[in-house]
Amino acid sequence: MKEELEKFKQQVESFEIKQNEQVEIFRLKFLSKKGELNELFEQFKTVPVEMKKEMGALLNQVKQKAQQKWEEAQSQFESNSSKDKDSKIDLSLSSEATFDGSRHPLSIVENEVIEIFKKLGFVYAEGPEIEDDWHNFSALNFPANHPARDMQDTFFISADIALRTHTSSVQVRLMEKQTVPIRAIMPGRVYRNEAISARANCFFHQIEGIYIDEKVSFADLKQTLYYFIQELFGQDVQVRFRPSYFPFTEPSAEMDISCLLCKGKGCNVCKQTGWLEILGCGMIDPNVLQASGIDPEKYSGFAFGMGIERIAMLKYEVKDLRTYFNNDVRFLNQFSAE
Ligand code: DAH
């Protein structure tokens, strides 16, 4: 037995553990239930009593030796492998840039406009995109069969129901529902039966505004819109009002701003006029107030409507309306996420 213990001891000592896998091989060979050490313990049972003390001590010694060698190897490879893992992470590298999306330019402009009007006490309102004739036309003083209806090519769903051609329909809904004074800003998508080109689309976006109270005048309209334009485009921008026609306003006007690119000197964008058309506006026609149950003898109001695409085109110098809607990330990535 003594010889076998010596042999075991030598084998344990000479076993080289160079790789992680050898740690387990070592354990199986020497320390496991079916390993050699266990065999020695089995043999120990047959050792004569007078030898037990000496052999027992030796057996324990070799056992400890094997155990120790295995534990040391284990901890060595464990720390090595975690060092390996660490070495793959270079904490000094800059992180990979992730693109967290951006806001659509039309949303950016829409939000800006709404924020400006909120400062003036205008509240946000919305209405349906599928609209009836009353709210889109009749209540807005478009008489039946009147040529004014042809001003806007309409997608009809039935004789009475259509995709709204303008956000002015929301004015009517609001006037019917709310009590005066009313001050509201109403953005939304509108639809017109147009051939799609760089300058026209079958749908686009508008922002409508109304202000109704006692003694609201054209001076209020002018000052409100002037303030709005200066907030949106800066203090240097000039405005001018040109007489126009809309069935729902009287008098009606179109507002121009001095060209943002050439500052009024004349360029391609403003077609050498120095001015850019920006919105339609006017004093709400008494017929319109009346149709929605507001007394035109007591109250007056102004209204305005503008195209969001057009403002965004001027602001970001977008040349083709279609770029807003073809979802090209090279275009969209240029805008901020705020
Ligand atoms: N609804 C008109 C359009 O789509 C724009 C407009 C003009 C709205 C004058 C108004 C307004 O509220 O007063 O062209």
Side-chain angles (χ1 to χ4, degrees), residues 105-115 124 187-188 205 207 308:
L106 297 180
S107 302
I108 295 175
V109 169
E110 181 182 307
N111 289 345
E112 268 177 20
V113 173
I114 290 168
E115 284 310 310
Y124 178 93
H205 299 79
I207 301 187
I308 303 180

Side-chain angles (χ1 to χ4, degrees), residues 152 165-166 168 171 192 206 208 246 248-249 280-282 303-305:
Q152 302 172 354
T165 58
H166 53 181
S168 302
Q171 282 187 31
R192 288 184 200 177
Q206 289 188 328
E208 190 82 13
F246 300 103
F248 35 90
T249 43
C281 57
F304 54 89

Side-chain angles (χ1 to χ4, degrees), residues 27-39:
R27 190 189 68 82
L28 290 170
K29 185 169 163 56
F30 300 113
L31 298 167
S32 69
K33 266 202 173 151
K34 289 182 182 158
E36 290 174 17
L37 190 66
N38 228 29
E39 269 172 38

Side-chain angles (χ1 to χ4, degrees), residues 98-126:
T98 53
F99 177 62
D100 50 4
S102 60
R103 269 204 202 287
H104 195 279
L106 297 180
S107 302
I108 295 175
V109 169
E110 181 182 307
N111 289 345
E112 268 177 20
V113 173
I114 290 168
E115 284 310 310
I116 295 168
F117 279 100
K118 266 191 186 165
K119 284 194 247 174
L120 294 173
F122 283 67
V123 298
Y124 178 93
E126 276 179 358

Side-chain angles (χ1 to χ4, degrees), residues 64-81:
Q64 265 177 21
K65 221 181 173 85
Q67 190 81 29
Q68 198 184 348
K69 182 160 177 160
W70 176 67
E71 280 169 11
E72 278 173 10
Q74 223 186 2
S75 62
Q76 184 197 339
F77 280 102
E78 232 170 52
S79 60
N80 270 359
S81 67

